[in-house]
């Protein structure tokens, strides 16, 4: 009796697992962020795309957001702060796959 009950329970669990919807996980793209200071002592940042996909990115500092496209296996230009008091912690950087944002695919930045 115990063996039959455990077999029925195992079958019910198996059916439950099979019937679960499959979830596709999309990880954030792999980027490399480089912080530096230029010759005038302004903080600056550069973003490097380490994927084989085009990315949609932005760099923000002090509420000012700059959007740009980042080509596969390429680096952005240097984006600098507007004041020497800013440092690396004041920058906000975000990138995601361009294919997920059709509203930006035909726009120029």
């Amino acid at each position: 009796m115990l063996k039959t009950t455990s077999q029925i329970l195992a079958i019910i669990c198996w059916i439950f697992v099979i019937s679960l919807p499959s979830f596709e996980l999309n990880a954030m793209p792999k980027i490399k962020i480089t912080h530096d200071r230029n010759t005038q002592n302004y903080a600056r940042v550069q973003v490097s795309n380490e994927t084989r996909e085009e990315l949609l990115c932005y760099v923000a500092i002090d509420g000012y957001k700059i959007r740009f496209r980042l080509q596969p296996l390429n680096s952005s230009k240097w984006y600098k702060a507007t004041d020497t008091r800013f440092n690396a912690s004041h920058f906000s950087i975000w990138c995601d796959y361009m294919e997920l944002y059709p509203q930006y695919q035909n726009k120029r930045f």
Side-chain angles (χ1 to χ4, degrees), residues 24-83:
E24 186 175 316
L25 299 176
N26 289 327
M28 294 302 287
K30 184 171 181 173
I31 59 172
K32 179 181 171 189
I33 300 169
T34 307
H35 292 279
D36 193 12
R37 289 207 171 260
N38 66 9
T39 56
Q40 292 85 26
N41 202 30
Y42 287 101
R44 63 184 186 166
V45 66
Q46 184 180 45
V47 183
S48 299
N49 181 357
E50 297 185 348
T51 69
R52 296 187 183 273
E53 303 287 331
E54 184 179 21
L55 302 180
L56 174 66
C57 299
Y58 76 70
V59 172
I61 187 163
D62 196 30
Y64 182 67
K65 191 182 288 187
I66 302 167
R67 287 187 182 93
F68 57 94
R69 293 174 186 244
L70 194 50
Q71 298 303 317
L73 303 172
N74 212 341
S75 296
S76 71
K77 67 179 191 175
W78 286 97
Y79 294 98
K80 71 174 185 155
T82 56
D83 193 328

Side-chain angles (χ1 to χ4, degrees), residues 4-21:
T4 308
T5 306
S6 63
Q7 287 175 341
I8 292 173
L9 187 60
I11 291 171
I12 291 172
C13 288
W14 178 251
I15 292 171
F16 178 74
V17 168
I18 291 175
S19 67
L20 286 176

